[in-house]
Amino acid sequence: MTIQDLVEFYTLETLAARLNRSEVGVRTRLRASGRIPKGRRNGQPGGYLVFPVAEIEALIERDPGLV
């Protein structure tokens, strides 16, 4: 079992680290261009964006240029 098996969602910070990009680059370039899903709030007021790990890993597998 890897650490990714234990994590269900990436935060914007962890997603940026996974993709070797800045948070701004993820937010303004990848999300805006539609290369990654928009993400969703974690359900709490003032919550942070989360991205499903399985969906992101599938996108990386299809498009290795994301990393």
Side-chain angles (χ1 to χ4, degrees):
M1 179 177 276
T2 66
I3 202 76
Q4 288 182 347
D5 293 332
L6 301 174
V7 179
E8 189 176 348
F9 294 100
Y10 285 131
T11 61
L12 182 58
E13 182 180 274
T14 56
L15 178 61
R18 172 68 177 99
L19 299 177
N20 298 320
R21 297 177 185 256
S22 69
E23 291 179 30
V24 174
V26 169
R27 201 172 54 239
T28 61
R29 293 201 177 153
L30 295 178
R31 279 183 52 205
S33 69
R35 290 182 69 189
I36 61 170
K38 282 197 162 198
R40 61 183 177 94
R41 297 285 175 189
N42 70 347
Q44 298 176 2
Y48 47 87
L49 283 176
V50 293
F51 302 86
V53 168
E55 188 173 342
I56 295 298
E57 292 302 321
L59 288 171
I60 290 170
E61 191 174 307
R62 281 184 286 191
D63 183 7
L66 285 173
V67 178

